């Protein structure tokens, strides 16, 4: 009876073992492939950061057009697509247009001002108008200085990503553009920060 029972089930056992082996092998290959691709992407990102890295002092010395090109390069590094500079005398409040890695369209206003300056509310309002004009999903204001209190408040209340000097430093050093949304509206308002800023620039 045992022999009869075994002869009936052994083909199924062999098939199950073979399928299990194939599934395990496929899972291992997929995991290895993802690990290698992830490592390659990280390596490429790190190399792109090294190749495009500029000190903030170097950024301060750029012309307005060079700064816009610098921002375009950071966008490409982070996986944005269709990124192009559109700034000019009639740019309608936009310097850069493109597509974020998550598929949303974006408009960027770039302002290379001295660190002693402040971005006023009217310039942030202009960017809000550009978001409507170009019919994009996300508006981003990138500057080498800081925002006035009202300007920063207006930006955060209207879902504008306000990338001030500190956040630009983070972005330049490898943080992704999308990750800056988690610190939007932070980093320039505490007492110690104001004291450091005054000691450096005033």
């Amino acid at each position: 009876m045992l022999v009869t029972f075994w002869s009936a089930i052994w083909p199924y056992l062999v098939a199950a073992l073979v399928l299990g082996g194939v599934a395990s092998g496929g899972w291992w290959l997929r995991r290895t492939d993802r690990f290698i691709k992830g490592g390659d992407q990280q390596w490429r990102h790190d190399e792109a950061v090294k190749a495009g890295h500029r000190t903030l002092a170097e950024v301060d010395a750029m012309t307005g057009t060079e700064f816009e090109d610098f921002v375009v390069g950071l966008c490409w590094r982070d996986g944005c697509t269709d990124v192009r500079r559109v700034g000019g005398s009639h740019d309608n409040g936009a310097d850069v247009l493109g597509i974020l890695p998550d598929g949303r369209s974006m408009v960027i206003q770039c302002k290379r001002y001295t660190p002693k300056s402040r971005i006023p509310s009217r310039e942030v309002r202009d960017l809000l108008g550009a978001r409507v004009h170009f019919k994009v999903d996300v508006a981003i204001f990138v500057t080498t200085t800081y925002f006035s209190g009202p300007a920063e408040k207006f930006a955060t209340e209207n879902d504008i990503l306000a990338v001030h000097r500190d956040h630009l430093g983070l972005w330049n050093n490898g943080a992704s553009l999308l990750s800056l949304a988690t610190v939007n509206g932070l980093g320039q308002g505490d007492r110690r920060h104001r004291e450091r800023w005054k000691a450096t620039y005033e």
Side-chain angles (χ1 to χ4, degrees), residues 38-53 77 172-175:
D40 181 64
Q41 289 174 350
Q42 184 61 49
W43 176 82
R44 290 177 185 275
H45 178 268
D46 292 345
E47 289 300 305
V49 170
K50 291 177 185 176
H53 181 75
R77 184 203 73 191
N172 181 44
N173 287 330

Side-chain angles (χ1 to χ4, degrees), residues 137-151:
D137 302 312
V138 180
I140 304 168
F141 200 116
V142 182
T143 181
T144 55
T145 186
Y146 299 98
F147 296 87
S148 68

Side-chain angles (χ1 to χ4, degrees), residues 101-117:
D102 61 10
R104 291 179 296 166
S105 55
M106 67 174 180
V107 57
I108 302 177
Q109 178 65 266
C110 304
K111 291 296 182 184
R112 192 208 56 76
Y113 289 165
T114 64
K116 293 175 65 174
S117 303

Side-chain angles (χ1 to χ4, degrees), residues 162-184:
V163 181
H164 57 69
R165 187 176 184 85
D166 296 345
H167 295 165
L168 177 62
L170 292 174
W171 191 19
N172 181 44
N173 287 330
S176 71
L177 178 58
L178 289 177
S179 72
L180 297 180
T182 62
V183 292
N184 194 29

Side-chain angles (χ1 to χ4, degrees), residues 5-78:
F5 181 71
W6 174 253
S7 64
I9 67 169
W10 79 264
Y12 297 102
L13 288 174
V14 171
L17 289 171
V18 170
L19 288 174
V22 170
S24 297
W27 174 83
W28 182 83
L29 287 172
R30 179 179 173 81
R31 187 165 177 262
T32 302
D33 181 63
R34 291 176 65 183
F35 177 77
I36 291 172
K37 284 182 177 178
D40 181 64
Q41 289 174 350
Q42 184 61 49
W43 176 82
R44 290 177 185 275
H45 178 268
D46 292 345
E47 289 300 305
V49 170
K50 291 177 185 176
H53 181 75
R54 301 289 184 274
T55 65
L56 287 180
E58 290 176 306
V59 175
D60 288 336
M62 293 178 177
T63 65
T65 300
E66 288 171 340
F67 181 57
E68 292 170 10
D69 288 335
F70 172 69
V71 170
V72 167
L74 291 177
C75 290
W76 280 115
R77 184 203 73 191
D78 284 356

Side-chain angles (χ1 to χ4, degrees), residues 13 18-19 57 73 87 90 94 118 127 148 154 165 181 187 190 194 199:
L13 288 174
V18 170
L19 288 174
H90 302 290
R118 282 288 187 270
L127 178 58
S148 68
F154 181 87
R165 187 176 184 85
D190 61 273
R194 288 195 297 271

